[in-house]
Structure formats: C-alpha cells, structure tokens
C-alpha cells in the first residue's frame, strides 16, 4: 500500500512546527502502508494531549476518548472484534500519569494491541508541566525548583511485569521508528513502543539533539528474549537504549483467553446470537 | 389452634446466626422446597460486611398468595447463636415460636417470648459430626414443621454438597432427616400448623433473586460484553453473567478499576457490542467522566447501579435509595440519559432487556437502578418470556462518506461500527464536526450540543408511565419508586383504605408527562423512599412543580417492612397537612 | 471627530493572531501600561486548545470608568494573521479602525471595514530582526495611539524579556519604539482620539485575573496544602500557588491523577492542613468518590472548579457554566456542601478566603465555582485587604478520651488532629461510631446520617445573600450567578430600564431563604446562564418553587458580550409571558 | 514499650478465625513496640477490604479511607506533619488493583511511609474474586475458567522504579515478619512490605502450607543494594524470596523535597503563619 492511502485532505493540524509528533505520524503511516493495513481495518484509540490528536490526522477509524483512558477502550474493542488492528496511542502524561493503572494492567491482560507513547517528557497540551517521565531537575511553572520525583521507567516496568513486547524508539529517526512500529504491530499480544519525541515548545532540555546524543541502538548481538538482560538494558540511561528491548515468552492474547474465538473466528459483534433456547434452558435450572 | 380460620395463610420464618454458620445454605434449601411444594415464597437477607462472625438473618415468607415484601412478624425463629435474639428483639412477639438451644441462645431472653421449643442443636450436630451440621438440622426442623417433601429435600442436600466428600454428604443427609423428624414431632405435639394451600402453578414458576433477574434481562437484551469491578451489592450480576458467559458468548472481564470498566465498555460498544457495567454508588462516583464520554461520543452503554448506604464506603451490605441524584447528574456537561428502577423481578428482567434497546436506539447511557434489598431478595415469578430476544442494535453498514456524528432532525446519527461497510467510524471526546473530528467552530458547537440534547424529546415521549395500583378515583396517593413496589402494595392491602392509590415509578428519569396529571388528581400525596433527603420528591418537584409535603423516609440500611410501611402510611395520611 | 462629546470614553482594542504569535505578551504589556496611566482596563481572551497556530484573540477595554465585561464593539483591531478578520467578522463595524498589513491580512476583507490603516508590520519586523517582533510593534502602535508613557513601556519590555539575550531585549525595545511612533502619527494624522480621563487612584489598584484572585484568596485563607492535576482552565491556580509555595510555606504537589489529588488533600486536612484542590469538570467527575469521603469523614477541603464546555473533553479552553449540577451532586450518598460562585475578582478573593473558614467550621467540602472566562479575564481592583488573614482552623487539643465523630447538638464534632493532644484521632469511610470505628449498629447509622445532615441548618442560615443591583421596587428581575455579574450589570446600565433590577448569586448552594422573597416581588423574571439546560433555574425552582420562564442561554464556549446581553434582556422583557 | 500498649478493649474483629491477618497484626504491634512508636505518634492509613480493617483493631490514629486510596492521604499527612510515623496498609486488590496508579507514583515520590500489603492473592471482603496477584489458573465465581492474566509482581515493579526499599514477608512467620516491618519503618523513605497472607475463607490454594512450601528466606550473602540482583530475586517464584529484596541508593524523601523543612522542623500544620505582610508584598508586584 502507499502511504498516501492514509492522507486526509485539508486538515488543520494543531501541532507546532518542528514538533517530533510529525515524524511519528510519518513513521506510523509508513509502517501501516508497508504492512498493508487498510484504514478500514484499523482503529486508533487515543486519550487527550497533543500526541493523542494523531488519529485526526490520517485515515483510520478512531476512538479519541478521555485523558489517560486509551487502553481500556482499546481492550474492549479488541475483545468484541479481534479482526481489527488496534493501536492505543497517547502522550507520556496520558499513558503513564493519569492512565498508569491501565498501563500496568493492560500489560498483564495482554490484548493484541500496539501501545505507542509519544514520550516528550512533558505535558504539552496543558503547557509544560512535568510528566512522569520528566527528568530530574526539569523546571516548569509548577515544578519551580525542578522535578524531584524519580523519572518513570516504562520499559523497566514492562519487563518487570513480563510484557509480551517492549521497545523504545526516537522520533528523530523515522526509518528505524517505522521498523520498530512494524515489529510491534506484527507481534501477537500487547506491544509497548515508547517513542522519544522532542517537544519544541515546552521542553527546551530534551531536544532533538539531546535525544540524539543520549540514545544508542541495541546492536545485533542483543537478545530481547532474555528478561534479565532486558531489565539491565531498560535501566541504562545515558545512552538510553533504542530498539526492541524485550520480547516475552509466547502466551495467549487476551482475546484468545476470552475463549470465544477458538472455534468461531467471527467477531462477537457480527454473530447472530440465538439466545431464546439457551435462556429457556438456563431458567429451567432455577 | 382450633379452626383453619385462625391459622395463618402466610408463615414468616427467620433464621439468624453468624456469617459462616451457613444460613444462606438453609435459605437456598428451604426456598426451593417451599416453591417445589407449591407455595409462594419470598426470602430476603440482612447481613454485615464481614465473612465470618457478626449477626445476619434470613427472613423467609411462605404463603398461599404472592408475597414479595419483608414482614416484621416472625412465626418461627431459629436463632443459631447467642446474639440472635437480641438482634431481632423488636420483631419477636408472643406469637413467635422460637426453636433452638435454649441454654446457649437464651442468656437474657426477650421477655415477650412465650413459645420456646428447646432443641439441643449443638449436641445433635456434634453427634452427627460437628457444629457445622447445625444449619442443615435447622433446615430439617423447618421442613418437618411444614411437612415438606423429605425425599426432595434429601436430594437437594445431596446435590448441594455434591462437590464435597461422600461422607460429608451422608452426614448432611442425616442432619436433614434428623431435623425433619424433630420438626414433624413439634408440629404434631405443639399443634403448630398453618393454612397453606399449595398451588400447582408455582412449580412452573421460577425462583430467582434481583441479581439474577437483572442478569437474565441482560442476556435477553443481547449483552455480549461486560466489564466491571466487584462491589457489593452489585457483584451478583457480575458473577451471574461470568458464570454463563461462555455459553452465551459474552466477553466478561473483571477490570482493574471502575474507570477501566466503563471505558472498556464504551470501547466495546463503539465496536458494536451491547455492553453492560455493574457497580454501586462508590464505583459509579468514579465513572462520572466515562459517563460524560458516553454522552459526548453518543455511544450506548447500560449501567446497573445497586445502591447501598453512603456516603463513601458507608454500609456495604445494606440497602438504600440514596444515589438517585448522583445517577441523574453523574458526568460533567449536558447530555441525555435514562434511568430505570425495577420494582419487581419481572421489571428487572424486562427493563434490563429494554435498557439495551433504549441505549442503542438513542446512543446514550441507560441506568438500571436497584439496591441491596432488591439484589438479595428471592421470590417466585412466572418464567420470563424469552421469545422476543432478538436485538436490534440500530447499526448500519457504512458507505464511503459515512459521518458518525451526522446532524439529523431527531438528533440521532446513523450508527456505524468499524469494519462493517466502507466508511471510517470515528468518535471524539472533544467537541467535533460531523465526521467526529475535533473542531473549534463555535457555531458547530452549538449545533452539536443541541443535536445531543434534542434526543431528550423522543426519550421523554417514550418514557415508561408510572403504574397506578388501587382506585382510579383516589384522594390519597402514595408514591414510590424502584424496590419499594411490593412493600407499599402489601401495606396498602393490609390497610384496605378506600380512597388511596399507589403510583409506582419504574422509570424515574425522564418522567413522562402524565406524572403531573396523576399527582394533581390527589388531595394528599405521600412519598416513601429509602434515603434521608427524599431525592425523588425533589425530582418530582423539579419536573412537575408539585411539592409533596409528606415523606416516609428510612435510611438505617434495612428495608421497609410491611407493618412499618402500613403504620407510616396511616400516620402520614392522618397527619394534618 | 470634533468635540469631546462624541469621543468614546471607553476604547475597545482587539489583537488577533495565531497561538505562538505572542498576543498574550501584547496583552500583558498593554494592560499594565493602561493601568499605570490611570485608566481602567479590562482584558479577556478567547483561544483554541492548541499551542501553535489557529486563531486566538485578546479583547482589551480601556476606560475612564470601571469596565469588566466583554464588548463586541471593536474600536481598534490589530489582525496579525490572515484568518483574523474572518474570525472576528461579526464584531467588526464601520467604526472599527483596522491596523495591519493590508496585503497579507485582507484577502477578502469584510465589506463593513471602512477604516484601514495599512502598516507593513512584517516588513518592519523583518527590518528589526524577524517576524517574531510583530507583536511588540503592534503593542507599540497601540501605546502610541493612546499616548501611553513610552519610557515606562520600554522599561516593561526590558523587564519582560530580562531572561533573554541582550540583543533580543534591544530589538524588542526598538520594536516598541518604532510601533509607538507609528501609532502617534496615526493618531495625529487620522485624528484618532478618545476621551479617556486618567484617574490617579488606579495606580494604587492592582491588575489581576481570576486565577490570581482565587490564588490570593487561597493564600489569604491560610491554604497550606495543594494537590492537583493540571487541567485547563483551572491550571492557573495551580501555577500561581506553585510559584509562591515556598514563600508562603505551602506544600504544593502535582498529583498523578485527580483521584490522588483529592485524597491527598483529605489526608493533609485530616492532619490539620488547609487543603485546596483545583480542577475542571472532567477532573471533578473523577473526584466524586473522594468528595463523598470528605462528607463521610467530615474533613474540610476546598475545591476550585473552573468550568469549560462539556461533555467529556469538550472545548478545553472555552467557557461555560455547565457543571453546576455536577458540583451539586458529585459523590454518592447524602452529606452537606457549600458552593460559592464569585462574580467579581473581589469576590474571588474574599470567597476563596472564606471558603477555607467555612470548610473548617463545618468540616465539609466547599466549592469555588468559576469558569474559563473568569480565570482568564484581567481588570483593576483595589488591592484586597490582607489584615484579616489569621485562620481559625477550629482545631482543639485532644484529651485522652477524644472521639472524632462525637454526636453533638449542632452536628459538629470538635476537630482534633493527630499529634496534638493526648487523644487518638480516627476517621472512617464506613459508617462508624463516635470514635470513628466501623459499626453495623443501624440505629447509630441513623443518628450519624442525621448528625452529618444537621449541619445544613446552620450552613443555610449563614448563606451569603444574593446581591441586588438596581431599584428596590423592581418589576423585572434579571437573575445571574458567578461570572456573569459584570456583563449583566453593564447591559442593564446600557439599557437604562426603570423598573428592572439584577439579582446576582455568589453563593449558589445552599440558597438563603430571602431568595424566594426577592423572586416573589418580581412580575417578570429572566435568568441568564452559560449552559443549555438552565441549571441554576432548576435549582431555584427546587429551592423556592418558582419556575422562571424566561432564559437567556449561551453555550458556544464564548462569554456573553455586553451588547448581546443587553439585546437579549430587552428581547426577553418584551416577549409575551 | 509493651505490645499491650496497642491493645483495645472489647472489640469485635471481623476477620475469620485462622486468617493470616491476625498474625500480621501481631507482628506489627510487636514491631511498633520494639521501636517504641507510641500510638499518639502513629497514623495508619488504610483503604477498604479485610486487611484494611486493621487500624480498627489496635490503638493508633487512623484514616480508613476509600478502596484503593490509602497512599494519597498517607502522602498528604506526611507532607504537612512529617513527625508522624505513617503506615499505609491494605490488601492486594486495594493497593495493586484499584490503587495501582498511586502505588506506582508513590514509589517515585518517595514519602517516608511504610506500605504494608496483606497479599492473600484474592479479594477477601467481596468474597473471592481474583486479585492482581492471583496465580495462573486460580478459579473463582468470576474467573470461572481460572485466572489468565499474568500475576502482578509488586517487588519487581518496585525494583524497576527504583523504590527506596522493597521487602517480602510471610504472615506465617510472625517473628521474621516483625523484623522486616521494623526495618521498613526505620528506613527513611518509601518502604514496601508485601506480606503473603493466607485467606482461609476464599483462597484454598495459597494456604499457610502452600506459602511455607513455596517461600525461602534470602540468605546472609544476599546484597539488597544490587538492583540487578534484586530484580532477579524478585522474579523468582517457587520459592518466592522472603526478606529485604531491594534497598535503593540514598535519596531525599518527598517531605524533604518539599523544601519547607530544611530549616524549620516544625510541621506545617503547627506553624503560626503570618501572611499579611507577605501578601502585601506580593500584591505590590502585580
Ligand atoms: C481528567 C483530565 N485531567 C486533565 C486533563 C488535562 N490534560 C489534557 S492533556 C494533558 C497532559 C498532556 O500531556 P501528555 O499526555 O504527555 O501529552 P502531550 O500533550 O505532551 O503530547 C492534561 C493534563 C484532561 N483533559 N482530563
Ligand atoms: C470504589 C470501590 N470499588 C469496589 C469496592 C468493593 N471492594 C471492597 S474491598 C474490595 C477488594 C478487597 O480485596 P483486597 O484489597 O485484596 O483485600 P482483602 O479483603 O483481600 O484483604 C473490593 C473490590 C469498594 N469498596 N470501592
Ligand atoms: S506543544 Fe510540544 S508536543 Fe505539543 S505539538 Fe507543540 S512541540 Fe509538539
Ligand atoms: S476472608 Fe480471608 S482475608 Fe478476610 S478475614 Fe477471612 S480469611 Fe482473612
Ligand atoms: Mg507529553
Ligand atoms: Mg486480598
């Protein structure tokens, strides 16, 4: 498929010129095109924030829900129609702050969704407060003396809870980011892609250059199947590792675990349920 | 008791003991056998929020006529531990026959007790194998007194304990038998007997509780997705559906919290499912934002709220109708909703089923508002009609130019779902254009707000009318909603007032227009609710302008009894205006 | 313009451009200089929920008299990009002087424009060093037209950019100067002049916005703990307090979510702090359970809610009064609360201060209900009085037998805190006894529920009365609440109706008894609100029985303008009843 | 101090006979006694559940708040009165399910509180549904086919986010549990103590015996300061490690980071704040 299959005419994009979000959008569109995922077969679920506006900017089904709440609807969608490719995409504040509990439990639940986080280490849309991933000392109008909380480490968390797939990318490298997104989408089960994304308006510290200087791709010898190694990698900071950091042992997805798709692949929502008789039977047992 | 004239046609049996003593098992065994024997049976529980200890009771009514409300009067009381008599003191009268271990149970016995049948329950149980058999012996005694079918009883005991050791099963059967013969003996020796006429039709009826009725309604309503977080007293519905999820092809998920539950449900609905969430007040208080989202993205969802006393954790296992105003206003901003409040088990079934249709039709959140009393009460009803269970989800196959938020005359946009048709289906929690893309066009905002609210016209027109029980030419009108249906009905039966009728609301929001007409016809109006601030009275005032001056309010966590309701209605009607 | 008679005593200036073009900076510089020059100044913004691009505008009024509402009329308009004129089309008239880059700005110019002063802003800016200087040149032009103090202006520019490179500062000063001389020239050549009389008192006044006024009120109210999660339009308060937290010894924490925010605040209050939470509707919808907890554990907390249009994410940077009903009913179960809705900045200061006292006195949640318009509007007011800022937290030193939930006559239990005195201090979200230990004593439950609700009597008695503006012997009464104070006032000034008064509510719940008296005196009542369902009208109906039939409602996200309000009031009063 | 300093007269405890909660209560009282922490100086904050009833059963100040919400009030209390010893104590469902987001962020915030979890791998009070820590295959009335979600690993999560202290105990061993609790209380900063607690009513799988058979204490050679080793330990399952698994590098507590207690140790709530003048000054700058 061609990338322009996702192009929309005449849209007014609310992102700032130069923002890393544009790069991510490009990588995502390319990844989808190369995987031949049609807009008709794709649902992008997002929360609220600058990153979360992404489904308004390309052709796809979308559920742009509440701040912090992209993962639950994504899970609900997948449960009743596993045939759809589902991406849950939002910012770092959305996914790790307001939505932290869903992040934790989505990893455990393992729906076959791709979870993309635009990690700019700041709350963009609300104009520059610290996010969970803001680095020590980061000053904002609210964190006037600089951030003092331990920066949230999504990769380490994912490894700690045996996520089925966890990767980190950098928006500055569209090609590699595309490759990583492709792997995540192709992976069966929950797949985390945390993408370093420069925010040119509110994060003057973690710039394109900073990310470039402070990241390094995993080399070919790296074994993402080794959980302990993955944990070590996820703790490294300067440079931060880029690439697929962890792939967990094979396990059933959430949809498989529901147990209703073993024989019948038809999504629940398309089934002609005939319940009269079953109900009759059940009530007899009362 | 000499003549049948004087014998009760309605027996009230109470078993009282600690959590862990198995009084629920007694309840289960008895109610099924009563109903099997052709009697009407009603059973309700009041219990503490703990797993062991404390003092809980089950009140069972066996009757020749339909009985579906709590009576204070106790005919036969089986106290299983020493706190029981104190706990029930107010309900015990000289007519109450107390059966139990006098020495153990009756340290300082309420003086009104005139009939005590002393049975060494503990010794009997110990002889069989241990204290744990006390409850089954007790069940046996009652079966014996009422001369139930012992074989059936034994078979039920066997089935009930089928997962256990053979030996345990045997001992339970022994317990039931021993109790039964004791009971028979008492009945004969002490002349305990009742005028219960069996009615064969009952055997074809089903005995279910509120949680099951809501559950059946949901299954009949086409529910194929459930996400919830456990919370008393709503968990029964979660359990019921989970138990039958596989067979009925329902994806049922225990969410990590209530926020996830409502948002998962909306995701599933967006994709075309019929989604249910079940919770209680505290859980609902967490779902406000999600409910508002449902309003904004015009995505159907059915939310069952089983009320318990608040604020905060309150009394987790008790009953109240204190969350009406929360359900009315949960969620920020302005959007339509419907609130249904079943009065009977039949209502619970039909309204829950209907809720899914309404939700899909209007693309809104629809609430089923029940309470702990309702959830935990059993009685027999004719089996619901399952013929008409084909759902119309109001879903269209989309075209290429499909617009999910199309502005239409009646405010309802044709509902597409992703993956069905050629169109793209978007929903957005921000204000949006017809394609659901985020907008800051403020004229469009006004149109969209009006589009959403416009649906209220149709919704109101189709509101379920209140049910009038009693004379059409009433002068006094009693108002109730939800779970107080039967207790008010029976209280009015008892009172036998000529010019008094009862208006029961099973849809509490929006109220249909005839509400006002009903109210204006009355000289005196009395409203009864399980809360402290008469929330439904306020809603009626708001919707009709009529300010009801007389209220019957109870908010200690226990359900109204028939006697109490009768007395309070009487009192209210006699009061000066 | 020949005589002073015809000259405006009130100039309305609008700057319009994209996010990122620095119109807020222009606003900041201008309003301070207007006020420094002795003029009354009012400034308000409308902007999109985005960081760059789009179309935003700032409306500034400079006046010889107090002006604190939005006017549609534009005297001087500075469009900074090509969408600006389209965006403001409805507000532009033949009297509007448009100053800007004609070629760039005026592709298809609204035909009503009669006065266009073409300035090559972009070229001027480029000559200085780049497009980024356009905004400061614009500020200069306006200062020049109004003959402000150029030296002061330069100094302010210098201060404003003090963090930047010296070179940048220089260029900005150059920009302001160049703009100034252009402005002076226009004023002289085109005869633009206004009849603005400076008033020296103004220099002693302060120029603040709603967010700052609430912040000052909180600091004056003794707030020493703040936990919140950022959410427009409430974030201004979080930022204000965070900025001054160290100096004022406030522990200010950005929580991980709103649920944490409210629960942290309750922990701090329990320990003796004066806690504040600031949020908007969506955040509040998540706090319902926490609010119910405050009600149950009778622990004070002040919650500031800055409203924006809903449902769901709605329009994050726009204004509405659509969350009144949510604030009234947030949280399950029944417990008292107070809702204050400041109309003026003075109110915002004094009511926020008072909110902490009320919360502590009654041990309840107290809400400050504002909105985006209120948060983002500046004007000058006399500096608040800071003499009386000693807090009485109503805290006692506990004795050994201290009981946190003691049942007292007025329902208020003496408040102890852990670590102060000999007693143990407990609170419990379950129903509890006087020591706050969990209970299932259902008589006690009733007493406790009544204890909590009883406080409402006193609260109601002490409710802040509505403020009547206009003749005592009114026949027509206009009702408003919260942020519509000034716009309704000014609209009525403009209309100059004889028998029409305005009743403004700054406490919206509970309503004081005199409300009814005020309303009954009127022949005609009109209510104006920023929502679609007239929520305050419903509350008034509920509390007084009076059903207001005429409503002025706006819910497109923009604040009422004076002209619009005047026209709508006029229309409403002329309408048949 | 003596343990009976915490005894209350005539209380009706709602726990089931034989429940592991009794053991934990004993260990806790002993630990407090040995550390001479008076009831007057102690606040126990709990959520809702069987475990969360604990502050009703011994002498202490208490804040028995909402289900899942023990950590935020505990943090708020500590912020305004750091002189109080604060314990946040609840069940596994409460702390890791409903309260998961607070758990995550409390670790990052690092208030000096002790966070005790009665981990019975089940929802006790609501009668036996799966909790986040329920093991694979655990059957309940809701999880009719057995649990399919990855069991939540609190220790690994704590290590992954660089918690300042993380330990695991077993209610069956009152003495060792007491020692571990003591260390946690003495530790400056956030301290997690996850305690395996048999639920005799609703968990017939993870019994006293099961826990005994499936746990092993760390030996003396174990170095809790080594984050990578701690991570490995936290992943081990049969046996599960007992003891202090991880102690993070020294860092400021949340209260210290507030910056208001550097010079003045007096709790915020006891300060006589004189604000008139400061306000006067501030308004002048407007
Ligand atoms: C319940 C709720 N709380 C707060 C907000 C306000 N809000 C919107 S976006 C956002 C944070 C955005 O940060 P992030 O998720 O990192 O996205 P970014 O803008 O940086 O891409 C916040 C706090 C909201 N919309 N809803
Ligand atoms: C908001 C909310 N949701 C649900 C509940 C119901 N609830 C009370 S305790 C509990 C779980 C208890 O499990 P756990 O925390 O593991 O404690 P345990 O009883 O096992 O000690 C639940 C779901 C509640 N009280 N509040
Ligand atoms: S605010 Fe930051 S993250 Fe948002 S669009 Fe602008 S540069 Fe990107
Ligand atoms: S239900 Fe389980 S955890 Fe709760 S007290 Fe009983 S045994 Fe203990
Ligand atoms: Mg971000
Ligand atoms: Mg548990």
């Amino acid at each position: 498929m061609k990338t322009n299959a996702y192009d929309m005419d005449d849209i007014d994009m609310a992102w700032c010129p130069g923002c890393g979000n544009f790069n991510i959008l490009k990588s995502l569109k390319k990844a989808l095109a190369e995987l031949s995922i049609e807009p008709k077969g794709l649902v992008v679920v997002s929360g609220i924030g600058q990153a979360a506006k992404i489904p308004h900017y390309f052709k796809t089904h979308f559920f742009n829900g509440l701040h912090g709440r992209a993962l639950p609807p994504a899970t609900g969608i997948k449960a009743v129609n596993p045939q759809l490719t589902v991406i849950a995409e939002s910012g770092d504040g959305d996914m790790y702050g307001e939505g932290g509990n869903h992040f934790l439990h989505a990893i455990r639940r393992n729906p076959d969704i791709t979870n993309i986080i635009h990690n700019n280490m700041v709350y963009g849309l609300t104009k520059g407060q610290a996010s969970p991933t803001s680095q020590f000392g980061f000053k904002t109008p609210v964190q006037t003396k600089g951030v003092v909380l331990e920066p949230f480490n999504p990769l380490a968390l994912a490894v700690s809870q045996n996520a089925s797939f966890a990767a980190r990318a950098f928006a500055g490298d569209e090609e590699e980011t595309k490759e990583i997104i492709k792997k995540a989408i192709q992976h069966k089960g929950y797949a985390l892609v945390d993408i370093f994304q420069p925010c040119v308006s509110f994060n003057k510290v973690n710039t394109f250059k900073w990310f470039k200087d402070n990241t390094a791709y995993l080399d070919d010898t790296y074994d993402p199947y080794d959980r302990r190694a993955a944990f070590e990698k996820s703790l490294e900071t300067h440079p931060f590792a880029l690439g697929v950091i962890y792939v967990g042992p094979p396990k059933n997805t959430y949809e498989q675990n529901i147990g209703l798709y073993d024989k019948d692949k038809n999504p629940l929502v398309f089934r002609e349920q005939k319940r009269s008789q079953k109900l009759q039977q059940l009530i007899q047992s009362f | 008791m000499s003549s049948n004239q004087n014998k009760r046609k309605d027996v009230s049996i109470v078993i009282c003991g600690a959590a862990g003593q198995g009084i629920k098992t007694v309840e289960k065994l008895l109610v099924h056998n009563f109903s099997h024997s052709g009697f009407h049976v009603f059973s309700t529980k009041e219990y503490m929020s703990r797993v062991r200890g404390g003092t809980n009771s089950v009140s069972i009514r066996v009757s020749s006529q339909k009985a579906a409300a709590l009576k204070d009067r106790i005919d036969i009381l089986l106290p299983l531990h020493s706190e029981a008599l104190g706990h029930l003191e107010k309900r015990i009268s000289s007519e109450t026959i107390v059966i139990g271990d006098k020495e153990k149970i009756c340290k300082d016995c309420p003086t009104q007790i005139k009939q005590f049948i002393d049975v060494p329950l503990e010794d009997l149980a110990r002889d069989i194998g241990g204290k744990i058999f006390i409850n089954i012996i007790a069940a046996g005694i009652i079966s014996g007194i009422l001369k139930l079918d012992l074989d059936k009883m034994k078979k039920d005991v066997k089935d009930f304990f089928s997962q256990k050791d053979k030996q345990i099963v045997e001992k339970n059967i022994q317990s039931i038998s021993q109790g039964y013969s004791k009971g028979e003996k008492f009945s004969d020796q002490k002349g305990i007997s009742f005028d219960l006429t069996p009615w064969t039709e009952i055997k074809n009826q089903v005995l279910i509780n509120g949680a099951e009725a809501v559950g059946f309604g949901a299954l009949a309503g086409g529910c194929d997705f459930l996400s919830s977080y456990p919370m008393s007293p709503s968990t029964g519905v979660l359990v019921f559906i989970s138990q039958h999820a596989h067979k009925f092809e329902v994806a049922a998920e225990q969410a990590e919290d209530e926020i996830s539950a409502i948002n998962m449900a909306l995701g599933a609905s967006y994709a075309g499912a019929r989604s249910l969430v079940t919770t209680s007040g505290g859980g609902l208080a967490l779902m406000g934002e999600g409910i508002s989202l449902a309003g904004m993205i015009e995505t159907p969802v059915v939310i069952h709220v089983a009320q318990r006393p608040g604020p905060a954790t309150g009394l987790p296992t008790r009953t109240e109708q204190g969350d009406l105003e929360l359900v009315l206003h949960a969620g920020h901003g302005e959007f339509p909703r419907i609130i249904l409040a079943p009065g009977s088990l039949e209502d619970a079934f039909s309204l829950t089923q209907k809720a899914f249709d309404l939700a899909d039709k209007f693309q809104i959140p629809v609430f089923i508002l029940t309470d702990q009393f309702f959830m935990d009460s059993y009685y027999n009803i004719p089996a619901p009609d399952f013929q008409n269970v084909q759902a119309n989800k109001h879903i269209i196959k989309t075209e290429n130019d499909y617009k999910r938020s199309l502005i239409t005359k009646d405010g309802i946009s044709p509902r597409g779902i992703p993956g069905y048709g050629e169109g793209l289906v978007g929903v957005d929690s921000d204000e949006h254009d017809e394609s659901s893309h985020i907008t800051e066009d403020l004229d469009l905002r006004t149109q969209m707000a009006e589009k959403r609210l416009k649906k209220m016209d149709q919704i109101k027109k189709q509101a379920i009318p209140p049910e009038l029980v009693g004379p059409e030419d009433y002068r006094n009108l009693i108002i109730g909603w939800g779970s107080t249906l039967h207790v008010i009905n029976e209280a009015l039966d008892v009172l036998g007032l000529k010019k008094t009728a009862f208006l029961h609301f099973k849809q509490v929001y929006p109220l249909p227009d005839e509400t006002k007409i009903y109210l204006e016809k009355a000289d005196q109006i009395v409203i009864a609710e399980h809360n402290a601030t008469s929330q439904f009275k306020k809603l009626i005032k708001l919707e009709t302008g009529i300010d009801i001056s007389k209220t019957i309010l109870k908010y200690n966590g226990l359900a109204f009894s028939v006697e109490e309701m009768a007395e309070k209605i009487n009192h209210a009607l006699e009061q000066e205006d």
Side-chain angles (χ1 to χ4, degrees), chain A:
Chain A
M1 261 174 71
K2 291 218 178 113
T3 316
N4 64 12
Y6 305 95
D7 288 352
M8 293 167 68
D9 350 296
D10 155 69
I11 47 167
D12 172 27
M13 293 174 79
W15 289 334
C16 313
C19 174
N21 284 333
F22 291 102
N23 310 57
I24 297 176
L25 176 58
K26 273 191 221 150
S27 299
L28 177 60
K29 289 207 285 192
K30 271 193 221 153
L32 292 166
E34 290 181 16
L35 295 173
S36 297
I37 295 169
E38 281 191 274
K40 273 195 326 189
L42 173 70
V43 183
V44 177
V45 184
S46 71
I48 295 296
Q50 293 287 67
K53 290 176 179 163
I54 196 164
H56 294 286
Y57 302 149
F58 71 107
K59 281 196 180 149
T60 172
H61 299 291
F62 63 95
F63 184 113
N64 180 4
L66 298 170
H67 182 55
R69 318 298 172 192
L71 286 167
T75 306
I77 292 164
K78 202 71 194 174
V80 298
N81 189 349
Q83 287 176 352
L84 296 165
T85 299
V86 177
I87 296 176
E89 187 158 359
S90 268
D92 46 332
D94 182 288
M95 209 64 83
Y96 305 142
E98 186 86 47
N101 206 32
H102 313 308
F103 177 60
L104 213 64
H105 293 280
I107 292 174
R108 297 182 49 232
R109 196 172 276 122
N110 199 36
D112 180 21
I113 62 178
T114 304
N115 189 188
I116 300 177
I117 290 91
H118 300 209
N119 182 357
N120 55 8
M121 303 181 172
V122 74
Y123 283 12
L125 187 59
T126 49
K127 311 210 159 164
Q129 303 81 23
S131 91
T133 53
S134 291
Q135 303 292 297
F136 278 123
F138 183 69
K139 286 194 180 165
T140 86
V142 171
Q143 286 73 22
T144 55
K145 314 235 166 213
V147 168
V148 290
L149 276 71
E150 186 84 27
F152 178 65
N153 187 331
L155 276 305
L157 185 138
V159 178
S160 82
Q161 303 308 313
N162 206 19
S164 79
F165 180 104
R168 192 192 276 123
F170 165 43
D173 184 345
E174 284 171 26
E175 188 57 26
E176 272 309 313
T177 298
K178 177 205 75 187
E179 287 302 320
I180 292 169
I181 292 175
K182 276 172 67 180
K183 284 183 195 150
I185 294 176
Q186 285 174 298
H187 177 83
K188 273 270 156 245
Y190 172 87
L192 167 69
V193 187
D194 181 89
I195 308 182
F196 283 150
Q197 170 242 326
C199 165
V200 297
S201 291
F202 295 110
N203 189 335
K204 309 286 182 183
V205 179
N206 309 107
T207 58
F208 274 98
K209 178 168 171 10
W210 188 93
F211 282 119
K212 183 125 196 65
D213 294 348
N214 286 282
T215 53
Y217 282 97
L218 294 166
D219 62 29
D220 289 348
T221 65
Y222 179 76
D223 174 13
Y225 299 94
D226 178 342
R227 189 161 171 200
R228 281 146 195 88
F231 185 68
E232 292 212 20
K233 259 305 158 219
S234 71
L235 295 187
E236 288 174 12
T237 51
H238 300 273
F240 293 86
L242 299 177
V244 179
I245 290 177
Y246 182 56
V247 181
K251 57 179 167 185
N252 275 353
T253 63
Y254 159 65
E255 308 86 84
Q256 288 173 320
N257 281 326
I258 292 173
L260 297 175
Y261 297 110
D262 298 346
K263 289 172 228 144
D264 186 350
K265 299 283 172 226
N266 195 24
L268 270 188
V269 291
F270 296 139
R271 293 189 191 172
E272 273 284 345
Q273 290 220 22
K274 301 232 185 308
R275 287 186 172 172
S276 295
Q277 223 185 324
K278 289 184 196 168
L279 283 163
Q280 209 69 50
Q281 272 169 15
L282 182 59
I283 197 86
Q284 290 318 324
S285 71
F286 271 74

Side-chain angles (χ1 to χ4, degrees), chain B residues 51 229-232 235 254 258 279-284 286 308 312-313 316:
Chain B
V51 175
Y229 189 78
M231 184 162 194
S232 308
T235 315
Q254 180 178 317
E258 286 85 353
T279 188
S280 182
L284 189 78
L286 288 163
R308 69 192 216 189
T313 309

Side-chain angles (χ1 to χ4, degrees), chain B residues 373-389:
Chain B
F373 168 74
F374 193 85
M375 284 288 101
D376 287 332
S377 297
Y378 284 89
Y379 53 89
N380 46 291
I381 57 167
D385 176 12
F386 296 119
Q387 294 315 305
N388 194 13
V389 300

Side-chain angles (χ1 to χ4, degrees), chain B residues 101-120:
Chain B
D101 242 325
K102 192 155 193 173
E103 202 192 338
K104 303 233 157 55
I105 253 75
C106 213
K107 292 274 151 64
D108 41 355
C109 245
T111 50
Q112 68 269 40
I113 298 180
K114 294 287 170 279
Q115 313 180 53
F116 205 124
I117 302 179
D118 191 4
V119 200

